[in-house]
Amino acid sequence: MSRTTEGVLTVRFHTDGGPATFTGEMHTDFPRALYEIGEDRDNRVLVLTGTGDRFMTDIDGASLGDITKPATWDRLYAEGRRVMQRLVDLEMPVIAAVNGPASVHSEYALIADIVVVASSTVFSDAPHLTFGIVPGDGVQIVWEEVLGSSRTRYLTLTQGSFTAKQAERWGAVAEVLALDKVLPRAQHLAKELAAKPHLLTRYVPITLRQRISRRMAGGTQVGMAFEGLTAADLAYQK
């Protein structure tokens, strides 16, 4: 994480300085980081980005623990609900600088107030159906909000993907740029927002996100329960 004097905080997903692999440690640490970010009133705008030429495409499933066990899922359930609720309830604008493919937790980016993406970006949800579990941790809500219900059902059930240009045409992202322009553009927008009156930048996003905040609160509660049920069933698959 890095913060400028203008109050713009940039959070970059990475693994050992390279493109991020989603792990159990990240699953635990990210909601905790969001809590600390929200509590620091010097943070006026949050920019989320990845590392290198991809936002996030890899996942270390084993590091999450044995997801067929209730005790493991109890932890994942709590962390998964907190990360999405904290993202949507952050009292500051959130800008996503999507630096390439996002096939793991694309909802972290697509939930942002402003989404700027590289032309090489392709969005998908690789892990859930591949692992054999329901996508109930918030991706189903975010996709439906930005893509619409029919597209979300089709893309989820077929494990489909959509490109940056499709996302722009469907209204899911704001701008599509060359890779080297994405983060500078996001930080420029963030700096402009951070220069506005503090209470304005604090409460405009909350005002605009009321619907999705309510949906997230109920949707992840039910969705992650079904995700846990299908995870437990994996122990009985032949």
Side-chain angles (χ1 to χ4, degrees):
M1 292 188 292
S2 61
R3 187 173 67 204
T4 68
T5 55
E6 295 88 2
V8 175
L9 180 72
T10 299
V11 172
R12 179 173 63 90
F13 294 110
H14 72 94
T15 298
D16 298 327
T21 295
F22 190 78
T23 64
E25 182 179 17
M26 192 180 295
H27 198 279
T28 298
D29 289 347
F30 191 37
R32 292 177 179 175
L34 289 172
Y35 174 79
E36 293 177 4
I37 289 166
E39 289 296 294
D40 187 344
R41 296 179 74 88
D42 288 332
N43 294 324
R44 303 186 68 165
V45 183
L46 174 64
V47 176
L48 286 178
T49 193
T51 300
D53 61 356
R54 70 205 73 171
F55 184 78
M56 201 181 310
T57 59
D58 298 312
I59 182 169
D60 180 357
S63 70
L64 295 168
D66 186 347
I67 62 174
T68 69
K69 293 183 176 179
T72 300
W73 197 256
D74 176 59
R75 173 177 56 81
L76 296 176
Y77 176 86
E79 292 170 355
R81 292 193 65 210
R82 286 171 188 152
V83 71
M84 294 311 298
Q85 202 66 51
R86 287 173 183 172
L87 261 175
V88 79
D89 289 339
L90 274 179
E91 295 176 351
M92 65 189 75
V94 179
I95 302 176
V98 186
N99 55 307
S103 55
V104 176
H105 286 302
S106 63
E107 70 274 15
Y108 291 176
L110 290 169
I111 202 174
D113 303 302
I114 299 174
V115 186
V116 181
V117 306
S119 57
S120 59
T121 299
V122 178
F123 294 100
S124 62
D125 178 33
H128 287 100
L129 266 66
T130 300
F131 289 173
I133 58 178
V134 165
D137 55 2
V139 62
Q140 80 281 14
I141 298 166
V142 175
W143 276 28
E144 187 174 292
E145 286 286 326
V146 301
L147 299 176
S149 177
S150 294
R151 282 197 185 102
T152 296
R153 283 178 282 160
Y154 170 72
L155 290 167
T156 299
L157 291 170
T158 62
Q159 292 186 272
S161 61
F162 53 103
T163 66
K165 282 298 185 183
Q166 286 176 309
E168 183 181 39
R169 188 165 68 248
W170 296 340
V173 307
E175 300 180 15
V176 178
L177 303 171
L179 175 58
D180 62 344
K181 304 293 185 185
V182 170
L183 184 57
R185 174 59 174 161
Q187 291 177 327
H188 174 76
L189 290 168
K191 185 177 179 180
E192 287 189 332
L193 283 169
K196 297 183 183 298
H198 197 180
L199 291 185
L200 183 67
T201 56
R202 177 170 289 275
Y203 294 118
V204 166
I206 296 300
T207 302
L208 296 174
R209 299 189 206 126
Q210 290 182 59
R211 168 188 159 88
I212 195 168
S213 176
R214 290 192 299 268
R215 289 201 64 201
M216 196 66 69
T220 54
Q221 184 177 32
V222 174
M224 290 203 69
F226 289 145
E227 189 169 340
L229 177 64
T230 50
D233 188 54
L234 294 176
Y236 300 92
Q237 299 290 323
K238 292 183 180 180

